[in-house]
Amino acid sequence: DSGVTQTPKHLITATGQRVTLRCSPRSGDLSVYWYQQSLDQGLQFLIQYYNGEERAKGNILERFSAQQFPDLHSELNLSSLELGDSALYFCASSVAVIRTGELFFGEGSRLTVL
Amino acid sequence: GENVEQHPSTLSVQEGDSAVIKCTYSDSASNYFPWYKQELGKRPQLIIDIRSNVGEKKDQRIAVTLNKTAKHFSLHITETQPEDSAVYFCAADPNQAGTALIFGKGTTLSVSS
């Protein structure tokens, strides 16, 4: 158990819909990262938050947005869903904004868009 | 931004053989290079990492080498065991404002007994 909690574990929805994925970081970790894992694309970096502020942005689609709340949990919002958005979405956390050690990953949220 | 290429995408070895996975990166500012192992249906977990001021690091049966001049690094697993079967990801991190830990596309290692 990494200490990072992600909900829901599985989600099935239809094209055009909107979903919210939730992540609670390890106790004491201030940085939260979101990664998308598709079959052929490995782990694609989406976005990083540190203590409530956006710190780095990857190839995150405009239909996607995220935020980190004062209690440090984070939510990733995916809207106008397309078939290609089906993937495993990982949240990870670390203590600091600078990555000098391990990122602790949650178990992931598997999104299926039908 | 940083780009990480990883080869091979699949690797099959016999138990007891060695396995080598190679990665190249593009951003010369990258200074942190971790390797993650992801077993089937599980989350990625760090197995070893190396920083730019070190050329090689070993931890029991696994080792990582780094060549900063050539911008490539490798994972070496000796005396492979069936439980080593997993997807292995290399990553590179410039550790500067606005940057992130960028992963390669992964290598699926299969160790047959």
Side-chain angles (χ1 to χ4, degrees):
Chain A
D1 183 7
S2 66
V4 178
T5 303
Q6 289 188 247
T7 57
K9 286 186 169 48
H10 301 277
L11 190 54
I12 301 174
T13 189
T15 54
Q17 295 298 304
R18 172 190 169 96
V19 299
T20 296
L21 310 180
R22 182 189 167 102
C23 169
S24 293
R26 288 191 323 156
S27 177
D29 284 359
L30 300 178
S31 271
V32 170
Y33 311 79
W34 287 98
Y35 284 86
Q36 179 191 56
Q37 185 172 38
S38 305
L39 272 175
D40 298 328
Q41 295 300 317
L43 290 159
Q44 296 268 335
F45 170 69
L46 296 179
I47 199 163
Q48 177 201 358
Y49 281 84
Y50 176 76
N51 204 21
E53 293 188 4
E54 181 184 307
R55 282 306 179 105
K57 210 167 185 176
N59 295 325
I60 186 168
L61 299 172
E62 286 192 11
R63 300 183 286 106
F64 296 1
S65 65
Q67 61 184 119
Q68 186 180 29
F69 295 86
D71 67 352
L72 301 177
H73 91 271
S74 178
E75 292 181 359
L76 178 67
N77 300 295
L78 316 174
S79 62
S80 302
L81 286 167
E82 302 175 359
L83 296 178
D85 297 328
S86 295
L88 187 54
Y89 291 85
F90 281 107
C91 168
S93 73
S94 67
V95 171
V97 64
I98 297 295
R99 293 161 294 277
T100 56
E102 182 171 3
L103 290 193
F104 294 88
F105 283 82
E107 300 294 331
S109 292
R110 182 169 296 282
L111 173 65
T112 303
V113 182
L114 301 176
Chain B
E2 178 62 273
N3 183 54
V4 178
E5 299 284 338
Q6 182 171 349
H7 300 279
S9 57
T10 60
L11 180 59
S12 296
V13 300
Q14 291 286 324
E15 183 177 1
D17 288 348
S18 294
V20 180
I21 303 171
K22 299 182 179 182
C23 290
T24 60
Y25 61 99
S26 61
D27 191 341
S28 57
S30 285
N31 57 16
Y32 176 60
F33 307 91
W35 287 84
Y36 282 75
K37 175 183 180 182
Q38 185 180 24
E39 297 177 354
L40 190 62
K42 300 288 183 64
R43 61 188 173 88
Q45 290 187 267
L46 179 73
I47 56 171
I48 194 168
D49 57 12
I50 191 168
R51 288 171 176 79
S52 58
N53 58 345
V54 175
E56 183 174 359
K57 183 177 179 180
K58 289 186 72 173
D59 183 3
Q60 298 182 341
R61 294 187 297 108
I62 60 173
V64 57
T65 59
L66 171 66
N67 183 328
K68 284 222 72 177
T69 303
K71 288 191 278 189
H72 67 69
F73 56 114
S74 301
L75 178 72
H76 304 253
I77 306 174
T78 59
E79 300 173 22
T80 54
Q81 301 167 4
E83 52 264 38
D84 294 328
S85 296
V87 180
Y88 291 81
F89 292 96
C90 63
D93 195 342
N95 259 320
Q96 296 173 349
T99 66
L101 184 65
I102 302 299
F103 287 87
K105 292 189 177 182
T107 295
T108 301
L109 173 64
S110 299
V111 181
S112 53
S113 55

